[in-house]
Amino acid sequence: MLVNTRHSLTLLICSLLAATAFSAGDKNAVKLNTDVFPYNLSIGGTSTLPQIFFFNTDKGDFTYLRPQVEMAAKAGVHIYSFPLMVHMKHPTDAPDFTHAEGLLEKFIAIDPQAKFLVRLVLGPTWSWKAYNKKNDANVGEYFTYADGTTSRWVSFASDAFLEPTSMQLRKIVRHFEAKYPDRMLVYQVAPVLSEMFDVSYRQKGPDYSAANTMAFRRYLRERYGDAAGLRKAWGDDKVDFGNAQVPMPEQGRFPMAHVTGRRISAFYKPVEERAWIDYSEFYSKLISGHVIRWCRIVKEETNGSKMAAAFYGYLFTLPGSFAGHFNLAEVLD
């Protein structure tokens, strides 16, 4: 998880167990390792371990919430994290905070010292697609794959995704800072997918939607400047900024979820596969751009007083060059 502090960026493990060390002779004595987590956390005037209790509120089963939160509080853990969806039925709606506030109050009722790392679930829900279909709006804005199927998720390249989501985030942070200013520690930003990557790309490949195709062509124009430069780089005398396509997968490239037992290529040929190189760079810049934009919104709305987090930088667990997570240096900068 990427955490943006006031003055720097650092990597934060969700449980933050790496930030603790056990004292010799007392297995229950825990002290902070300030080299790993150099931040002083105090709740109610008492130094607090930067450990987080995570509860999957999106599963809808709260049977074990009270006993588990009580155990966490008894152990001195008062920071809670959970998915927090602020519903918007379609882009013109104002956020409905009823469900979200109900979740926060559940934790507060059990542990009055509760603080939160809220995992915000932002952007278009499935109902937005029904809204768009009914109103013939945002055609081509949803993930589309080489086999012709479309997803229920809005493309990361869609303005219907980015603009309303950014506006929604501002409203959410502003609301919680007004109502729960002393309880919010970290705002984690993520789309409805909950992760900063398309959940189907490993099986089906890139996004061929009109929104993503047009965004890729804009990137190519910015990168090469003129069609002659693009044609030379791609080794194609017919390609230009009006017909360049997201590269199509050859047989056997997908699925990529399991590669055991078959040979895979680790590198691209500079000219013959230049389209894959350019697309991979484009997609990482697209995804990292969302992370940077959303974290900046959190910092702006909290006057730099709160941390912003995002799932980003999965360099090993996401196969393929176009997962969108290979621009970590720019995010950190």
Side-chain angles (χ1 to χ4, degrees):
M1 183 189 300
L2 186 70
V3 173
N4 184 350
T5 66
R6 191 169 199 172
H7 301 295
S8 64
L9 285 151
T10 186
L11 292 178
L12 174 68
I13 305 301
C14 286
S15 67
L16 295 177
L17 292 176
T20 65
F22 291 93
S23 300
D26 184 359
K27 65 180 182 180
N28 295 317
V30 182
K31 63 180 181 180
L32 295 184
N33 181 342
T34 55
D35 292 332
V36 178
F37 195 83
Y39 306 105
N40 296 319
L41 289 181
S42 176
I43 296 179
T46 303
S47 294
T48 303
L49 295 176
Q51 290 177 299
I52 298 169
F53 173 83
F54 177 79
F55 191 89
N56 258 331
T57 53
D58 57 338
K59 302 303 180 183
D61 184 357
F62 295 93
T63 304
Y64 302 103
L65 179 66
R66 175 170 289 278
Q68 290 183 358
V69 170
E70 287 177 345
M71 285 190 292
K74 185 177 180 180
V77 176
H78 300 286
I79 305 173
Y80 303 97
S81 178
F82 49 88
L84 194 67
M85 176 173 282
V86 181
H87 297 283
M88 296 177 71
K89 291 184 178 180
H90 59 76
T92 60
D93 273 353
D96 182 355
F97 294 98
T98 305
H99 174 71
E101 290 185 7
L103 293 179
L104 293 170
E105 294 297 338
K106 285 181 184 292
F107 286 86
I108 295 171
I110 303 170
D111 180 5
Q113 296 187 73
K115 305 284 186 178
F116 300 106
L117 185 165
V118 289
R119 183 180 294 184
L120 298 176
V121 182
L122 306 166
T125 61
W126 305 316
S127 61
W128 289 31
K129 188 171 186 178
Y131 169 82
N132 289 335
K133 185 176 181 180
K134 180 180 178 181
N135 293 275
D136 195 28
N138 301 318
V139 176
E141 302 290 311
Y142 293 84
F143 283 107
T144 305
Y145 303 104
D147 61 6
T149 60
T150 59
S151 169
R152 58 185 176 180
W153 309 112
V154 175
S155 169
F156 281 120
S158 169
D159 287 340
F161 167 83
L162 180 59
E163 296 303 327
T165 299
S166 298
M167 292 172 59
Q168 179 192 22
L169 176 59
R170 285 195 183 277
K171 294 175 182 177
I172 290 172
V173 175
R174 198 170 295 174
H175 177 86
F176 286 133
E177 284 299 297
K179 189 158 186 177
Y180 300 97
D182 297 327
R183 295 194 181 274
M184 297 300 178
L185 297 180
V186 186
Y187 292 93
Q188 180 180 336
V189 292
V192 176
L193 291 163
S194 83
E195 305 277 7
M196 296 302 296
F197 63 90
D198 170 24
V199 294
S200 298
Y201 92 92
R202 288 168 288 195
Q203 288 73 41
K204 294 190 173 186
D207 175 12
Y208 296 93
S209 67
N212 200 50
T213 299
M214 296 304 294
F216 181 45
R217 290 173 180 175
R218 289 195 297 269
Y219 162 79
L220 292 174
R221 183 181 294 276
E222 293 173 1
R223 193 189 195 297
Y224 292 106
D226 57 56
L230 174 62
R231 288 167 183 162
K232 181 179 179 180
W234 283 27
D236 183 348
D237 60 4
K238 295 182 180 179
V239 69
D240 58 41
F241 303 124
N243 63 18
Q245 295 295 319
V246 174
M248 297 294 293
E250 67 272 16
Q251 186 175 1
R253 184 180 286 269
F254 302 103
M256 297 190 298
H258 303 287
V259 296
T260 304
R262 65 184 178 92
R263 185 177 179 180
I264 61 172
S265 297
F267 300 97
Y268 291 114
K269 298 175 183 178
V271 175
E272 294 91 330
E273 297 178 303
R274 185 72 209 185
W276 280 107
I277 297 173
D278 285 342
Y279 181 77
S280 299
E281 184 177 77
F282 150 75
Y283 209 67
S284 280
K285 287 184 175 294
L286 176 70
I287 302 301
S288 63
H290 294 338
V291 172
I292 293 169
R293 179 172 182 165
W294 293 342
C295 285
R296 181 173 290 122
I297 288 173
V298 171
K299 307 306 281 188
E300 290 173 352
E301 292 299 326
T302 64
N303 294 315
S305 65
K306 304 296 173 68
M307 291 189 285
F311 284 129
Y312 189 77
Y314 293 167
L315 304 182
F316 299 103
T317 54
L318 296 180
S321 63
F322 53 92
H325 281 237
F326 296 92
N327 199 31
L328 184 58
E330 185 172 337
V331 175
L332 295 174
D333 287 342

